[in-house]
Amino acid sequence: MNPVSRTLLRRLARYGLVGAVNTAVYYGLYQILRPSMPYLLAHVLAIAVTIVGSYFLNCRFTFRTRPSLRTFLLFPLSQLTNFAVSTVVLYLFVDWFEVTHRVAPLVASLSAVPASFAVAQLVLAGGRGPGRRAAVPSGRATARGG
């Protein structure tokens, strides 16, 4: 396997790990908030916290980039992508392929990871894949790999 492919796979694995951590944080926070507020408000607040956490973890851990206001504002697009892909896959698996409601959400969630990863990489790494170089203001180039 070439170094670029290895780096991409490592990034994808780190992205998945960040997602697992965020899922645990979301669930814990939801359970903590739920007794003191309506469940939808608890859900929205927990999601908001995990999107912010996911942004900073993915900047630092997954893509090794510096946070910026621009990427912070664009990052929710990866979450929207995740939502859209998982919703379509869930619908297809339940209504077309008659997969049980217990299994279909897991398949749908996992199937959305590559698309949301691609959007997150586009937003946080500027579309530069592993091993590509980015121009810096001084005219020098720097590696942006993971």
Side-chain angles (χ1 to χ4, degrees), residues 3 5 9 14 16 32 49 75 80 91 121:
S5 295
L9 284 175
R14 290 189 307 253
I32 290 167
V49 168
F75 183 73
L80 183 60
Y91 171 76
Q121 179 161 285

Side-chain angles (χ1 to χ4, degrees), residues 12-144:
L12 186 56
R14 290 189 307 253
Y15 185 79
L17 183 60
V18 168
V21 167
N22 279 328
T23 299
V25 169
Y26 161 79
Y27 187 73
L29 191 55
Y30 174 81
Q31 293 299 332
I32 290 167
L33 294 172
R34 175 55 199 103
S36 62
M37 63 185 63
Y39 76 93
L40 283 177
L41 182 57
H43 168 73
V44 168
L45 290 175
I47 288 287
V49 168
T50 57
I51 287 174
V52 171
S54 178
Y55 170 75
F56 287 106
L57 285 172
N58 277 303
C59 279
R60 176 78 172 136
F61 181 65
T62 304
F63 298 103
R64 308 244 162 62
T65 61
R66 285 199 168 121
S68 72
L69 181 58
R70 180 186 169 279
T71 59
F72 180 76
L73 295 174
L74 289 173
F75 183 73
L77 291 174
S78 68
Q79 305 302 309
L80 183 60
T81 301
N82 187 304
F83 173 76
V85 171
S86 64
T87 300
V88 168
V89 171
L90 179 64
Y91 171 76
L92 291 174
F93 271 65
V94 171
D95 285 0
W96 286 23
F97 303 120
E98 299 178 2
V99 174
T100 177
H101 291 280
R102 292 178 189 206
V103 174
L106 299 173
V107 174
S109 293
L110 289 174
S111 69
V113 170
S116 63
F117 172 78
V119 173
Q121 179 161 285
L122 181 65
V123 168
L124 298 179
R128 291 177 298 278
R132 292 196 183 154
R133 296 176 146 327
V136 291
S138 66
R140 297 177 315 198
T142 181
R144 297 287 301 240

